[in-house]
Amino acid sequence: MSAELTGAEITIRCLQEEGVNCIFGYPGGAVLFIYDELFKQDKVRHILVRHEQAAVHAADGYARSSNKVGVALVTSGPGVTNAVTGIATAYMDSIPMVVISGQVPTNAIGLDAFQEVDTVGITRPCVKHNFLVKDITELAHTIKKAFYIASTGRPGPVLVDIPKDVSQQKTKFVYPDKVTMRSYNPVTKGHAKQIKKALELILSAKRPVVYAGGGVILSDAAPQLTELVQTLNFPCTNTLMGLGGYPATDKQSLGMLGMHGTYEANMAMQYCDVLIAVGARFDDRVIGNPKHFSNENRKIIHIDIDPSSISKRVRVDIPIVGDVLEVLKELIKLLKTEKDKPDHVVLKEWWKQIDLWRERDCLKFDRKSKIIKPQMVIEKLFEITKGDAFITSDVGQHQMWAAQFYKFDKPRRWINSGGLGTMGFGMPAAMGVQLANPNGKVACVTGEASIQMCIQELSTCKQYKLPLKIINLNNRYMGMVRQWQEFFHGNRYAESYMNALPDFVKLAESYGHIGIKIEKPEDVGDALKEAFKLKDQLVFMDFITDQSENVFPMVPGGKGLSEMILV
């Protein structure tokens, strides 16, 4: 006969049953019983952040880099409202996560109690699902559901709100082996006839392009995507979220597409006759204005786990609902038995056209500049780490330069906020990545505006000895804001100039870390080499970069992919 446990004990036992070994959080009154139970055990490690936003970003980075469900624990009221930005970030990028929040006692809900907010109501628009547990007997089953929902189908964050009295009450603990939900049955296998139709269209293509997104990463389908692309000898382009899904150094890679994508990737998208979208959602930053998305008639195949994403922004011809991994496996299996093969003569002509577009060298920059060019810093970072680091970023120009100039050959190495575009994401996400990959090289590429959003996490890094390498591309501006103001607002730099910056070297040192200021191009490589030699210390590198540098190519809002502004 099983013993009775408190709700707090059940919560921790559930985490143990799910194999969770690391959670991120910040204590408060509504979760103190849960924290007390955390203290009594040693299977689940707790990382104390300095702000709840950072807790969720760290859980996010942990999940993205490990293919495990990230877990965060926050208190009621301001604890959960602080966490909302992180939850929304994870939701937009489909990251598997369970957030456990404390709530005021059940008899106080709705009475404006101290530190009470309507957590379910506030988070409903930015979670995959959420629960308010009012009955102790439902707690274990609810947490099991939360992990199941978060990690299956199109992944996403799930929130479990636990009132304080529920964490104190007792009941028998039984953790279910599995859960079934009548209203939630994600389809994983693609429809066989649709896959066969897709293959027929693929083999007839004269100007094909494979357009691969974050779904390839989330479903661990990078090997299958690579096999398919190389077997067919098709060009492949990746979204910002899909980088690493196909090796960027391979000759068949066109690089990233979209607003700041390469000329060859965007032109190939516009002029292809068969477009194979794999785990991508045709979002606005990728395709520009849907009215201008295509300069030629074409057919579109769309593979996605989420049926609501198919034909949402762009009408497709052959939809395939299913897990990207499962569908690609079936497609490869069919391709191997198919007698017909792609027309290599016609494909050769298509590759000739792509090579002509490549000759534009759309990512060129002044390599003889006497001021540090941010692109050169990222190139050196790639060179010194041999492309084998985990790279997190914040949001802005530095994010785009990292995406353009660090050639990701492996999945789950590029960790950034794509959908929500959250400043402050980079360093806490890097903490989660480092804890999930203790022997990995982890670098956070950031800017002087973004890094200050969660700068207090330098304290967390000190407490847990996280040897992150922070690459601060410091141009003394909110760089992307300034770029848009230059292009579209008559050079009126309204509130984008950062004229009260801290001394980042002294700031890093005040937290007990190493700070380096780099002002000359010739010192960039040595600074990065020195930083990565210090394997057990956080090094904050403040690179003073060219203030006038812009990210090119750029597709202005409302324009089509072929209407790029080039250097």
Side-chain angles (χ1 to χ4, degrees), residues 26 69 72-73 89 152 234 260 267 285 305 339 367 396 408 410 425 441 497 501 518 537 551 564:
Y26 201 92
V69 177
L73 173 60
T89 300
T152 55
F234 283 5
H260 296 294
M267 294 299 282
R285 287 293 171 107
I305 190 94
K339 290 178 183 176
R367 296 176 181 277
F408 294 94
K410 298 177 184 177
F425 174 84
K441 297 189 194 90
Y497 180 64
L501 291 172
I518 306 99
Q537 295 186 74
V551 179
M564 286 165 277

Side-chain angles (χ1 to χ4, degrees), residues 153-154 186-187 302 304-312 319-322:
R154 180 178 180 173
V187 174
H302 191 180
D304 204 287
I305 190 94
D306 181 5
S308 72
S309 288
I310 294 178
S311 291
K312 186 176 184 178
I320 303 174
V321 178

Side-chain angles (χ1 to χ4, degrees), residues 39 53 58 124 130 146 187 222 233 266 284 289 299 391 418 457:
F39 183 81
Q53 178 181 344
R124 183 175 287 121
N130 57 20
V187 174
N233 191 31
N266 286 345
D284 56 304
N289 188 333
K299 299 286 186 182
I391 307 295
E457 298 310 315

Side-chain angles (χ1 to χ4, degrees), residues 150-186:
S151 60
T152 55
R154 180 178 180 173
V158 178
L159 182 134
V160 182
D161 201 28
I162 305 175
K164 189 171 184 177
D165 58 320
V166 172
S167 70
Q168 294 172 269
Q169 293 163 5
K170 287 190 171 185
T171 192
K172 290 178 183 177
F173 173 66
V174 178
Y175 199 62
D177 293 330
K178 61 181 181 178
V179 291
T180 54
M181 301 170 67
R182 196 169 52 181
S183 59
Y184 178 69
N185 292 291

Side-chain angles (χ1 to χ4, degrees), residues 504-522:
F504 286 109
V505 171
K506 287 181 180 176
L507 183 61
E509 289 173 348
S510 75
Y511 279 100
H513 303 301
I514 294 171
I516 308 173
K517 187 174 185 177
I518 306 99
E519 298 183 83
K520 296 177 182 176
E522 58 267 28

Side-chain angles (χ1 to χ4, degrees), residues 415-432:
I415 315 291
N416 81 118
S417 170
L420 197 65
T422 306
M423 293 172 72
F425 174 84
M427 184 163 56
M431 299 186 322

Side-chain angles (χ1 to χ4, degrees), residues 269-288:
M269 286 286 284
Q270 291 297 88
Y271 287 94
C272 66
D273 69 338
V274 174
L275 177 59
I276 306 142
V278 186
R281 59 187 179 89
F282 294 90
D283 71 281
D284 56 304
R285 287 293 171 107
V286 164
I287 69 165

